[in-house]
Amino acid sequence: MDTSAIFPCWAFIIMCLITVDFTSSETIAEELVTVSETDTLASSDSESSSCGCDSLKRDGVVSIDRETSLLSDQAAVKYSKKANDGMEVSQGYNQDLYIPDKMVLIPAGEFLMGTDNPEIPQDGEGPQRRVHLEQFYMDIHEVSNQEFQKFVNATSYVTEAEKFGDSFVFEGLLSEAVKKQISQAVAAAPWWLPVKGADWRHPEGPDSTITDRLDHPVLHVSWSDADAYCTWAGKRLPTEAEWEYACRGGLDNRLFPWGNKLHPKGQHYANLWQGEFPSQNTGEDGYTQTSPVMSFPANGYGLYNMVGNAWEWTSDWWIVHHTSDELHNPKGPETGTDRVKKGGSYMCHKSYCYRYRCAARSQNTPDSSASNLGFRCVSKNER
């Protein structure tokens, strides 16, 4: 294949994404769905791109033409890896689904945070630095729908997604009826759609429910929502250092909470994407969206789903330049515009979003919410 003609194509696409006029919906729709026959998918071994969930800002959407699915082969080509660089449910549920609000002790100690071999350098994964932490307690699993419902019932709390009236959902999870009503998508990742009526009670929009997913992680919670829950529970969000230390489960210099092999002895250890992102998820690990919060083996500290399943908010503001100095109980910068999230989600795949490593990181604005974003809490004392 003659690759000399491909670069100008991609350069033109990226330029269009950056300079597009949001007031011209017809032009935008055409740019989103028109793909040259000469365009080809970028190499599947690229590890520096994103599923776009770090781009879920409410001012980053553009108009689309719903006649063409954004998960079609054409869309997968145009928005390939190269182009993307840079309800009360208290009645009728199964009581067996209830997950107790358990925490485990994470012992005081030191560890090597980050990596000197970053897979995604622009995310600020390095340099590796020695960090000392005091002991703390951490939820053994992500906060579940059951637990968040208890919070809402007790406080009448209204999430930011409910206040805004919409939240971001991966298109592959939406019903055709919902998709037909949507006229916008995230410019940098058009498989992400702002869905009216999507919130923690309705993860895929108004025609969905959590009735059969009470033991799944709560989704569509902003940083502020997560912080409010933790405060109500007498806890707090973990710092990025605490989260990464806990993720590693006592192991040094390992990629994942369990080691360096993604599938030890052929077993799945996390809820991730299998297949071709974003058009095909084979669900080889048993799930094509979230799984129950205590699925898959726990790590060395007894923590479940530290990577995969749902992204998890931390308390830190986002920064990409770190000191290599030895640190004690770091809390990140004092201010910022985005908050750090860790762990990746069920949408992560090595070819697109290799962020299900303990050292990996990403960010969102504090008011962001999405169908793959949740949290867990920590505390100085066991609750």
Side-chain angles (χ1 to χ4, degrees):
M1 177 181 67
D2 178 12
T3 60
S4 63
I6 296 178
F7 176 77
C9 236
W10 290 117
F12 173 74
I13 292 169
I14 297 171
M15 180 179 69
C16 286
L17 287 174
I18 296 173
T19 62
V20 65
D21 179 1
F22 287 177
T23 63
S24 178
S25 60
E26 293 182 0
T27 301
I28 294 166
E30 181 179 351
E31 288 297 324
L32 280 172
V33 301
T34 303
V35 183
S36 168
E37 293 180 359
T38 63
D39 287 342
T40 57
L41 281 170
S43 171
S44 62
D45 61 1
S46 170
E47 297 173 359
S48 62
S49 296
S50 173
C51 64
C53 56
D54 57 346
S55 302
L56 304 184
K57 297 176 175 61
R58 296 182 182 278
D59 59 356
V61 298
V62 294
S63 299
I64 57 173
D65 180 358
R66 291 307 318 166
E67 295 298 318
T68 301
S69 171
L70 294 174
L71 294 185
S72 66
D73 290 340
Q74 286 188 337
V77 170
K78 179 167 181 177
Y79 293 91
S80 69
K81 293 163 281 295
K82 283 185 178 178
N84 278 303
D85 281 341
M87 115 190 78
E88 299 303 333
V89 292
S90 57
Q91 296 180 350
Y93 63 82
N94 184 351
Q95 291 286 351
D96 293 337
L97 292 179
Y98 175 71
I99 305 296
D101 183 12
K102 285 187 177 180
M103 305 188 85
V104 294
L105 176 65
I106 310 301
E110 62 181 66
F111 79 112
L112 295 175
M113 183 175 179
T115 177
D116 285 331
N117 299 293
E119 296 287 350
I120 311 176
Q122 65 268 30
D123 279 356
E125 295 180 356
Q128 194 171 73
R129 58 270 191 202
R130 186 167 297 278
V131 172
H132 300 259
L133 291 172
E134 298 175 356
Q135 73 173 33
F136 59 96
Y137 288 85
M138 177 175 260
D139 292 346
I140 64 172
H141 55 71
E142 298 143 330
V143 173
S144 68
N145 284 314
Q146 172 85 36
E147 291 167 337
F148 198 79
Q149 178 194 320
K150 289 165 59 179
F151 161 60
V152 171
N153 286 345
T155 64
S156 299
Y157 184 84
V158 179
T159 63
E160 290 199 276
E162 292 170 291
K163 293 176 182 177
F164 280 115
D166 62 20
S167 188
F168 291 102
V169 183
F170 175 63
E171 184 187 2
L173 302 179
L174 296 174
S175 67
E176 290 301 318
V178 169
K179 282 193 284 188
K180 288 179 181 178
Q181 300 175 27
I182 298 172
S183 60
Q184 292 182 313
V186 175
W191 42 83
W192 280 109
L193 307 180
V195 178
K196 293 185 182 302
D199 54 47
W200 73 273
R201 292 185 179 94
H202 311 96
E204 295 82 51
D207 60 355
S208 64
T209 177
I210 58 169
T211 303
D212 60 348
R213 286 180 277 179
L214 292 175
D215 60 345
H216 286 229
V218 65
L219 305 173
H220 298 288
V221 284
S222 68
W223 185 93
S224 300
D225 299 332
D227 183 61
Y229 173 94
C230 290
T231 300
W232 170 79
K235 307 176 186 180
R236 60 176 173 81
L237 287 170
T239 65
E240 182 178 5
E242 288 173 333
W243 191 100
E244 187 170 328
Y245 177 55
C247 178
R248 295 182 180 278
L251 301 178
D252 286 330
N253 290 314
R254 297 296 187 270
L255 292 173
F256 312 117
W258 55 88
N260 284 328
K261 292 185 178 180
L262 182 58
H263 302 127
K265 298 181 180 180
Q267 183 178 0
H268 288 281
Y269 274 64
N271 179 11
L272 303 169
W273 186 287
Q274 295 90 41
E276 294 291 329
F277 185 88
S279 57
Q280 180 195 28
N281 187 352
T282 63
E284 292 174 13
D285 58 19
Y287 304 95
T288 56
Q289 47 185 305
T290 57
S291 60
V293 293
M294 292 179 70
S295 303
F296 304 97
N299 74 357
Y301 289 148
L303 301 169
Y304 293 84
N305 292 314
M306 286 300 289
V307 298
N309 212 27
W311 280 101
E312 298 182 15
W313 288 111
T314 74
S315 62
D316 287 18
W317 288 107
W318 174 259
I319 191 173
V320 295
H321 300 292
H322 309 285
T323 178
S324 59
D325 295 344
E326 199 163 331
L327 300 171
H328 292 260
N329 302 307
K331 296 183 179 180
E334 292 295 323
T335 60
T337 57
D338 288 14
R339 295 282 186 174
V340 177
K341 61 181 184 179
K342 298 279 283 186
S345 78
Y346 63 89
M347 289 178 60
C348 283
H349 186 279
K350 187 174 183 179
S351 67
Y352 254 81
C353 187
Y354 192 29
R355 292 181 171 91
Y356 46 91
R357 296 165 290 112
C358 289
R361 56 205 301 272
S362 188
Q363 88 276 16
N364 278 118
T365 55
D367 64 353
S368 296
S369 59
S371 59
N372 68 344
L373 181 53
F375 70 102
R376 76 178 74 205
C377 309
V378 298
S379 176
K380 188 72 173 176
N381 303 300
E382 187 174 17
R383 297 291 171 175

